[in-house]
Amino acid sequence: MQPRGTEPMSIRGAAYVAGIYEHPGRDLPTHTIWDIHTEVAMGALADAGLSMGDVDALFCDGTAGFGVLTLCDHFGIRPKYVDSTETGGSSYLAHVGHAAAAIAAGKCSVALITLAGKPRTGSPPVQWAQGPESGFESVWGMAGAPHSYALAAQRHMYEFGTTSAQLAEIKVAASTHAQYNSNAFLKNVVTVDEVLNSPLVADPLHRLDCCVVTDGGGALVVVSPEIAKKLGKTQAKVLGHGEAVKHTNNGRIDLTYTGAVWSGPLAFEEAGVSVADIDYASIYDSFTITVLQTIEDLGFCEKGKGGEFVMDGALIAPFGRLPFNTDGGGLSNNHPSNRGGITKVIEAVRQLRGEAHPAVQVPDCQIALAHGTGGSLGSRHGSVTLILGQHDA
Amino acid sequence: MNRLPTPAPVVTPTTQAFWDATSEGRFMLQHCVACDAVVWFPRNHCPECFSPELSTFDCSGHGTVYSYTVIRKVANAYKEATPFVVAYVELKEGPRIMTNIVDCAPEDVSVGMAVTLVFHDTGAGNALYRFRPTSQ
Ligand SMILES: [Zn+2]
């Protein structure tokens, strides 16, 4: 018999995403990242109907100065729960899961999560401390995420016959959605041929297989059921969360799958739903290959069949088999701070609230999935899956 | 012929022996005495069983291309060397290691091709390990 108080805890229904805000800017030359943090925090709190004085938990990534120390000072708050989990672009989905767990444990009741960055017009990239692998990975001329993700794409093509035209379908779907988003960095609808004719960046990835580089940010407010009830507006219920780190595995790196193979089942189990229940999915799209592998790894299709799955408009909202990234995603809309995680959650919440653009709103969207991939598919990355539902899900 | 730059690697107390061996044309792998695993990259513990008891041995220098990319544009020391190939080579001994494929046009590289180890002196007391197509 388990001692009292040690029953397995779940975050299902323990928290609600009550506030969302995506900064409308994509080029912000006169903002500091701290200005952006302020504006997105104000936006999300206003959306929730709360104020900074209500915040008792703060979450940010590892790029915000000294993390929560800097931001608590900047915002002028003294929260009783803080978390600077850094898993690259997937950090903010982890933050939602961690916030829900903290709320379930009674540690806090109003959690603020913010992201801000200026890769277009501002700050130099964050310099990370060198890892133990550094001497063995930094001397070969690799200089950015496209090079690393290209290694994954090449191997996936080799093992499963995936083609560049299939990867291009993912960009086509994202761009089809972006035309309805007046804030999107790229609003033009592209064709498969345009993707294939764009310059190769790192074979087999073309320029249009890569996400946009944008300034900006976003924020989320996650609250307890009691606060959610008081606020009394349409919110997204947190149903499940899973996270995983996939790495080089002592020289046995397998480039054909992502950590979604582990984070997905954890999230589905906690949420008590299956892939068939997902009405809409925000899938991290740093590159087209990121989407393709993730769709397979989450179980939307068999491993290796992602190329076939994305053909014929499967990802195009509202009526494709798996409507995805209806804001235009990182491929066309926004990838603030080179991190697309927070916008993934934001668009999923818009869908659940029925507030996506009418042209791409999934009818009666009840269950949405958001997935983040941070770091590099070609070496090590963090995968986080979040499942959200309508208020009464 | 080597037209790629040869930047000196970061050498730490943990990796000094590995890099010293490259100056003699040897690629050293670690072997876990406790669980028999081959260890890559060099560490002071086995990442399979966390034992600190490791021995070393020289790798055969033979492998196959597991995956690769042709880098078309870059802003680092390799700027003038584009296009060039970065790959994961699967060594005969097991580990998949990141490296360059050299002495071969980028368009002639393919997944699965047999490759052989070569060393390129960095001028800093060690050498970069790269791979060229295995001669028929
Ligand atoms: Zn061992």
Side-chain angles (χ1 to χ4, degrees), chain A residues 86-91 149 243-247 258-260 263 284 371-377 380-384:
Chain A
E86 173 61 89
T87 55
S90 62
S91 301
Y149 283 72
E243 59 190 46
V245 174
K246 180 167 176 277
H247 51 69
T258 75
S263 66
Y284 202 88
H371 182 86
T373 310
S376 286
L377 289 195
R380 50 199 67 77
H381 63 269
S383 297
V384 186

Side-chain angles (χ1 to χ4, degrees), chain B residues 38-132:
Chain B
V38 175
V39 173
W40 177 255
F41 42 87
R43 272 167 263 213
N44 290 325
H45 66 272
C46 168
E48 309 279 343
C49 73
F50 220 61
S51 164
E53 279 185 81
L54 300 171
S55 62
T56 61
F57 67 104
D58 287 351
C59 132
S60 67
H62 297 297
T64 55
V65 174
Y66 171 74
S67 192
Y68 73 97
T69 182
V70 184
I71 296 184
R72 302 281 169 176
K73 199 177 162 188
V74 82
N76 58 25
Y78 282 66
K79 190 176 174 185
E80 307 297 327
T82 55
F84 64 94
V85 177
V86 172
Y88 269 107
V89 164
E90 182 173 311
L91 300 174
K92 197 178 154 196
E93 291 77 8
R96 293 170 182 163
I97 67 170
M98 196 182 285
T99 186
N100 299 120
I101 306 298
V102 295
D103 299 341
C104 173
E107 54 272 24
D108 293 335
V109 176
S110 61
V111 175
M113 80 188 283
V115 290
T116 302
L117 182 63
V118 294
F119 287 97
H120 293 157
D121 190 358
T122 66
N126 49 44
L128 296 186
Y129 48 92
R130 287 172 169 148
F131 290 79
R132 61 168 172 74

Side-chain angles (χ1 to χ4, degrees), chain A residues 130-144 146-156 158-159 199-205 207 248-256 377-380, chain B residues 5 7-11 15 18-19 37-43 46-48 65-76 78 84-88 94-100 111-112 128-130:
Chain A
Q130 282 170 339
E133 78 291 345
S134 179
F136 307 95
E137 294 182 6
S138 63
V139 289
W140 313 117
M142 300 258 283
H147 306 152
S148 178
Y149 283 72
L151 292 168
Q154 188 83 260
R155 184 69 195 187
H156 198 277
Y158 175 79
E159 288 200 24
L200 281 164
V201 173
D203 305 25
L205 298 182
R207 181 177 293 163
T248 60
N249 194 23
N250 187 30
R252 290 193 304 271
I253 191 167
D254 184 333
L255 296 173
T256 62
L377 289 195
S379 55
R380 50 199 67 77
Chain B
V10 176
V11 180
T15 63
F18 173 89
W19 289 110
V38 175
V39 173
W40 177 255
F41 42 87
R43 272 167 263 213
C46 168
E48 309 279 343
V65 174
Y66 171 74
S67 192
Y68 73 97
T69 182
V70 184
I71 296 184
R72 302 281 169 176
K73 199 177 162 188
V74 82
N76 58 25
Y78 282 66
F84 64 94
V85 177
V86 172
Y88 269 107
R96 293 170 182 163
I97 67 170
M98 196 182 285
T99 186
N100 299 120
V111 175
L128 296 186
Y129 48 92
R130 287 172 169 148

Side-chain angles (χ1 to χ4, degrees), chain A residues 340-381:
Chain A
I342 211 154
T343 44
K344 294 290 162 287
V345 181
I346 290 170
E347 185 66 6
V349 173
R350 289 191 192 115
Q351 280 285 349
L352 291 167
R353 289 184 183 178
E355 293 173 1
H357 188 283
V360 293
Q361 174 66 49
V362 175
D364 190 28
C365 180
Q366 298 210 7
I367 310 278
L369 176 148
H371 182 86
T373 310
S376 286
L377 289 195
S379 55
R380 50 199 67 77
H381 63 269

Side-chain angles (χ1 to χ4, degrees), chain A residues 207-213 285-288 330-332 335 338:
Chain A
R207 181 177 293 163
L208 294 185
D209 286 301
C210 307
C211 62
V212 299
V213 176
D285 55 347
S286 44
F287 301 92
T288 51
L331 290 169
S332 289
H335 200 65
N338 294 326

Side-chain angles (χ1 to χ4, degrees), chain A residues 218-271:
Chain A
L220 306 167
V221 179
V222 182
V223 305
S224 66
E226 295 70 31
I227 304 273
K229 201 170 175 187
K230 267 188 236 166
L231 295 173
K233 63 192 292 274
T234 314
Q235 295 141 357
K237 189 178 195 172
V238 179
L239 298 180
H241 146 267
E243 59 190 46
V245 174
K246 180 167 176 277
H247 51 69
T248 60
N249 194 23
N250 187 30
R252 290 193 304 271
I253 191 167
D254 184 333
L255 296 173
T256 62
Y257 70 93
T258 75
V261 296
W262 302 310
S263 66
L266 290 171
F268 280 114
E269 190 188 351
E270 188 166 51

